[in-house]
Amino acid sequence: MHENAPVLKGTQRERKGTRYARRDREQGRLPAIVYGHGQDPLAVALEARDTIGHIAKGEKVFKLKIEGVGDELVLLRDLQYDYLGTNLVHADFSRVDLAEKVTAHVHVVLKGDAKGLKSAGTVLTHPITELTVECAISALPDQIEVNIEDLDVHGTVFAKDVVLPEGVTLTGDPDGVVAHVVGGKGGDDAEDSDEAAAPGA
């Protein structure tokens, strides 16, 4: 699945620290660290525009091409943003191979229009936007699609209900709510509200 992983190009960072990292960002580079597989951590500066673009699309596995170091297959592990939480300022990657099993967070995409939303006053909630899964790197999906067309009023899709690709196992909370249709006239929510408001209830 990741034979065509996006390529991120960059250079090794000889100098570390806040001042040098800020200088890298001003020059269009994203500071990052690569670690794992018993090797020393490698501080790098990646081309920021391409890197941020691929991350925004949900990509997690990349091929790094670092000048003077060579090529490595890596998994995105962590992102750090500025104090406003808007601008990406640093990324962490770990070295991997395609057969290695990893635990990762995969974005959930809801597909279709829930039939329960046809009722007046209903709202679709999407509390969990990522699922924590375990699988080989070669089987790691870029995203997990969940069809909610049959979801009726007061219907719920739990994490354990999601059909995962072959070789992918859920490791997060199985009772986490992925999608839920709430509200609606004459439904359970309305009845509960009426009972609560009734005198002597």
Side-chain angles (χ1 to χ4, degrees), residues 108 110 124-131 151 155-162 173-182:
V108 173
L110 302 183
L124 175 68
T125 64
H126 185 22
I128 291 180
T129 58
E130 290 184 329
L131 292 180
L151 193 61
T156 302
V157 177
F158 296 100
K160 61 188 176 185
D161 301 325
V162 177
D173 180 9
D175 295 319
V177 176
V178 174
H180 179 53
V181 176
V182 297

Side-chain angles (χ1 to χ4, degrees), residues 103-124:
T103 298
H105 304 294
V106 181
H107 186 63
V108 173
V109 177
L110 302 183
K111 292 291 185 178
D113 297 321
K115 65 180 182 182
L117 293 180
K118 296 178 182 178
S119 299
T122 54
V123 176
L124 175 68

Side-chain angles (χ1 to χ4, degrees), residues 85-96:
T86 54
N87 297 315
L88 182 60
V89 297
H90 193 276
D92 290 1
F93 299 89
S94 64
R95 301 178 180 94
V96 294

